[in-house]
Amino acid sequence: MNCHRAIKVGSTYGTAELTKIFASVGYDPSTDKYIPNYEDLSKDEIEQVYKKWISDIYITDKGTLDPMGERTINEQWDGIVEALTDKKTRDFKIQGPIEWVRIHNLPDHAYFNHAQHVSVGKLECQTCHGPVEAMEVVKQYSPLSMGWCINCHRQTAVKFTENPYYQSYAKFHKEIAKGERDKVTVEEIGGLECQKCHY
Ligand code: HEC
Ligand code: HEC
Ligand code: HEC
């Protein structure tokens, strides 16, 4: 919880989203400690801990809660319960992971690796995912079709000179040295070969 020790209240959602994370793992933001034996706590006990934390944020200078504050606390707690309990599997425990709602899903026969694109290719997340930082609810931005992959591989250059992996492409290195080419595309290093993306 090193990140969320410094930031406990979000700029847009206040305590709502971060308290969800705290409640899922049993971190008490009021004391900056993980709650011992969190697994064994009842829902009511957990509710007390986090409603106290939320109410402390909304308390007025006079030390009282205004009616808006009262409503906010209950709404936030209801949202947290909603996000952390699973009606389908009838798992009504607050403790445990937040459900991951998957929206991007390539078929099993296609292979995609983020490290290849982000660490090696130095592409920005936004190139493929769009302006996620401005999305209220994340949605799929690119078609994720084969044509989309192929198109980009035709147009985009690999980090050819920086990457030792491409040392063996002597012909391209010679052409670059002679000034006959200024880049090598993903296509030219084999990025359109079927077996690169399909097993
Ligand atoms: C926005 C451009 C872009 C899109 C879209 C894209 N790629 Fe790539 N891809 C790259 C770049 C750039 C590299 C090369 C990185 C490097 O080595 O510098 C690469 C490399 C690869 C490689 C390794 C190729 C090799 O010869 O080693 C695979 C496999 C791959 N991509 C699969 C995919 C799949 C599958 C998709 C679609 C789901 C996709 N890519 C979409 C830009 C893209
Ligand atoms: C070259 C395009 C490309 C780039 C760049 C890229 N992604 Fe992705 N991302 C994809 C594709 C394609 C999938 C779907 C993979 C699958 O279904 O196997 C995906 C899936 C995801 C998912 C899963 C989403 C879900 O619905 O569950 C997350 C999270 C994600 N990417 C985060 C990132 C982050 C963070 C970055 C930047 C550090 C990034 N991606 C950069 C193409 C890209
Ligand atoms: C750069 C990555 C990449 C390369 C190279 C590539 N594919 Fe694909 N292919 C994909 C992705 C991603 C999908 C899934 C697209 C989707 O779900 O819309 C796909 C889907 C397919 C499908 C299924 C189509 C369908 O309607 O479900 C076939 C068949 C296929 N590819 C054959 C090939 C053949 C043959 C080659 C070589 C000539 C090839 N692919 C090269 C990424 C690639």
Side-chain angles (χ1 to χ4, degrees):
M1 275 298 146
N2 281 337
C3 315
H4 294 300
R5 186 167 291 160
I7 301 167
K8 294 179 187 167
V9 181
S11 54
T12 308
Y13 297 102
T15 45
E17 292 299 326
L18 291 178
T19 305
K20 207 181 281 174
I21 299 172
F22 296 146
S24 78
V25 297
Y27 182 82
D28 184 351
S30 307
T31 59
D32 273 333
K33 288 198 172 69
Y34 283 94
I35 300 163
N37 305 319
Y38 187 61
E39 257 308 293
D40 305 329
L41 259 55
S42 70
K43 203 159 151 185
D44 291 340
E45 289 169 312
I46 298 175
E47 178 172 338
Q48 272 179 27
V49 172
Y50 294 104
K51 274 195 169 172
K52 175 189 180 306
W53 157 248
I54 302 165
S55 71
D56 285 348
I57 300 289
Y58 290 94
I59 218 127
T60 62
D61 296 339
K62 297 194 203 81
T64 54
L65 265 174
D66 55 36
M68 260 309 282
E70 192 77 56
R71 232 184 77 199
T72 308
I73 294 163
N74 289 321
E75 273 175 17
Q76 282 196 18
W77 179 250
D78 291 345
I80 289 164
V81 171
E82 173 80 27
L84 294 179
T85 58
D86 190 337
K87 275 119 257 138
K88 266 183 283 167
T89 60
R90 304 190 62 77
D91 180 4
F92 298 112
K93 243 176 134 120
I94 301 291
Q95 299 96 323
I98 302 171
E99 189 193 354
W100 182 267
V101 182
R102 224 188 143 83
I103 52 166
H104 301 69
N105 223 336
L106 286 179
D108 289 343
H109 59 77
Y111 169 79
F112 177 85
N113 179 325
H114 271 95
Q116 224 156 27
H117 292 87
V118 178
S119 318
V120 183
K122 305 273 182 279
L123 292 172
E124 297 283 339
C125 313
Q126 284 86 346
T127 309
C128 299
H129 291 295
V132 275
E133 69 282 4
M135 292 178 194
E136 182 98 358
V137 176
V138 174
K139 58 178 184 346
Q140 188 176 319
Y141 174 83
S142 300
L144 309 197
S145 62
M146 178 164 145
W148 173 71
C149 315
I150 298 275
N151 233 356
C152 186
H153 286 188
R154 287 213 170 101
Q155 292 165 0
T156 310
V158 298
K159 298 287 163 208
F160 190 71
T161 43
E162 293 96 316
N163 190 343
Y165 177 77
Y166 297 123
Q167 252 163 17
S168 59
Y169 290 78
K171 177 171 162 281
F172 292 151
H173 281 291
K174 230 179 266 160
E175 289 172 5
I176 288 174
K178 284 202 235 150
E180 289 168 5
R181 74 156 60 231
D182 56 2
K183 65 169 189 183
V184 177
T185 62
V186 186
E187 175 175 13
E188 288 168 311
I189 53 105
L192 298 198
E193 287 161 19
C194 316
Q195 74 278 12
K196 287 278 169 71
C197 305
H198 298 292
Y199 297 112

